[in-house]
Amino acid sequence: MGQLWLGRQPAEVVSLLPLVFSACSLAQQLAGVEALEAASGWRADPRLSHWRRQAVRLEALREGLMVLRPFWQPALSDKPLYDLLQSCQKTLNALQPLMFFQAEFPQALPGLPEALTDFSRQIWPRWVETAFPVSQQWPDVSLALAACNPLDEEDLPGLLDQLRRGDTRPALAGHPRTTGPAGASLAGESRQLLRERHQGLLDQVSRFLEELTQHPPRIEEEVILPWAAEGEGWSRVITVRGWLIHRVVLRQGRVASYQLLAPTDWNLHPQGLLYQQLNNLLIDREILLPLANALVASSFPCVEARVDMDDA
């Protein structure tokens, strides 16, 4: 993917990012613009950085609610959800210019959807209480032993060194990791693991709601990311699926290197958690396929994913 941006100027890259990524497009654009601005030595207005992050939280909230909707009881009305999703999208469209390269902080902002506060206080708590009625339909089997630690802050220096060597594999020292709600559980029983992963997503959405409706709003302090060399910039952005990381090197004002690692890269690594849980597992064929699909879905991939089974 990074090959698409080689030789391009930063502003051009930032304008193209949302056209390439349909899921988490604002998060991808923010990670890109922060990395490119850092590589060029430009520091954003703290207010701009705050509102950029708020826009990404709003996008993550919207996507998280859409993922969770099938796990709520149908007795609850969908109208408040659909109204909120619609108003979120309108606000995200209005906040899009904040993601431009070296953007100026605007004189007027559209503000966050008014429905957020009512949804957070009155509707969301009831929906949390009624989540997961379909969980009893999930296969309940013992999974193979897995060892796949979550990606942590202390891993970042080693990850950056790895990227500088041109190694873009979603692993550290050859060991796969997880990120986000997909790493919320390593339970050995499938139904427990699936419930704990979805609870992790619920908790993630709750945090986004809290941060978006905080009053008065707290302007975050600018975080200067360490470990960057001259002409190098990198950024990490939290999405509903986990950490998104972009790293870029500029030479003479153009992209000389561009690398990115998305949450799905980590959570669906070919030798990662899913492989470890199903490898050498003795299980009836009619259970294996729905189990594998449920495990993939609980990794909350950013693209449509389905498991098919071929006989050897």
Side-chain angles (χ1 to χ4, degrees):
M1 182 68 72
Q3 297 294 318
L4 291 173
W5 317 126
L6 295 184
R8 297 181 186 269
Q9 294 180 333
E12 184 183 7
V13 174
V14 173
S15 67
L16 292 174
L17 280 169
L19 304 179
V20 175
F21 298 100
S22 57
C24 301
S25 61
L26 272 186
Q28 293 281 2
Q29 198 171 9
L30 176 60
V33 75
E34 285 188 339
L36 288 160
E37 288 172 351
S40 66
W42 189 83
R43 295 176 62 175
D45 184 315
R47 298 170 300 169
L48 176 64
S49 296
H50 168 76
W51 273 97
R52 281 173 167 178
R53 294 275 166 169
Q54 286 289 74
V56 169
R57 291 187 184 106
L58 188 63
E59 177 185 68
L61 171 67
R62 185 178 183 277
E63 294 200 4
L65 291 172
M66 293 172 68
V67 172
L68 286 167
R69 174 59 192 94
F71 301 96
W72 281 313
Q73 291 189 24
L76 290 174
S77 172
D78 278 332
K79 188 176 187 308
L81 174 63
Y82 293 148
D83 289 346
L84 179 62
L85 294 178
Q86 187 176 32
S87 61
C88 284
Q89 189 57 57
K90 289 181 179 179
T91 303
L92 290 171
N93 293 340
L95 292 173
Q96 174 70 37
L98 299 181
M99 301 299 175
F100 293 164
F101 182 68
Q102 298 184 355
E104 294 184 0
F105 188 72
Q107 294 183 352
L109 284 166
L112 297 174
E114 296 181 0
L116 266 178
T117 301
D118 288 342
F119 184 86
S120 176
R121 293 176 180 175
Q122 300 177 20
I123 300 172
W124 177 248
R126 289 192 292 116
W127 283 15
V128 170
E129 292 174 359
T130 60
F132 315 136
V134 300
S135 64
Q136 299 304 315
Q137 303 171 19
W138 287 332
D140 194 17
V141 299
S142 296
L143 301 170
L145 183 64
C148 204
N149 295 328
L151 186 67
D152 206 345
E153 195 84 13
E154 63 188 21
D155 297 320
L156 292 176
L159 177 59
L160 286 173
D161 286 341
Q162 182 174 296
L163 292 173
R164 290 180 185 121
R165 296 193 300 270
D167 185 353
T168 57
R169 291 175 297 177
L172 284 169
H175 299 291
R177 298 294 183 96
T178 60
T179 183
S185 176
L186 293 176
E189 301 298 321
S190 62
R191 191 173 293 171
Q192 178 187 353
L193 178 139
L194 291 165
R195 286 182 64 86
E196 289 176 358
R197 283 186 175 181
H198 281 79
Q199 184 61 51
L201 182 57
L202 272 175
D203 294 342
Q204 186 90 299
V205 170
S206 294
R207 284 192 292 271
F208 289 137
L209 267 174
E210 181 180 355
E211 291 164 345
L212 286 165
T213 58
Q214 188 177 30
H215 186 76
R218 178 177 61 86
I219 303 296
E220 300 139 298
E221 295 183 6
E222 183 181 8
V223 178
I224 305 300
L225 297 176
W227 315 305
E230 185 177 356
E232 177 190 40
W234 67 281
S235 176
R236 70 199 188 290
V237 174
I238 188 63
T239 73
V240 73
R241 298 170 176 87
W243 286 110
L244 168 67
I245 297 171
H246 284 219
R247 175 185 171 270
V248 64
V249 175
L250 295 180
R251 292 197 183 99
Q252 297 180 340
R254 294 184 179 272
V255 174
S257 175
Y258 203 112
Q259 299 158 312
L260 65 89
L261 286 169
T264 301
D265 295 327
W266 297 96
N267 295 330
L268 291 182
H269 186 286
Q271 282 77 48
L273 186 58
L274 180 66
Y275 168 82
Q276 295 176 27
Q277 289 168 331
L278 296 180
N279 189 34
N280 294 323
L281 185 66
L282 297 177
I283 185 174
D284 291 340
R285 180 187 177 92
E286 60 269 19
I287 298 177
L288 176 58
L289 198 57
L291 171 64
N293 275 297
L295 290 173
V296 168
S298 72
S299 298
F300 313 115
C302 58
V303 294
E304 185 176 352
R306 185 188 67 191
V307 177
D308 292 318
M309 188 162 50
D310 293 324
D311 293 315

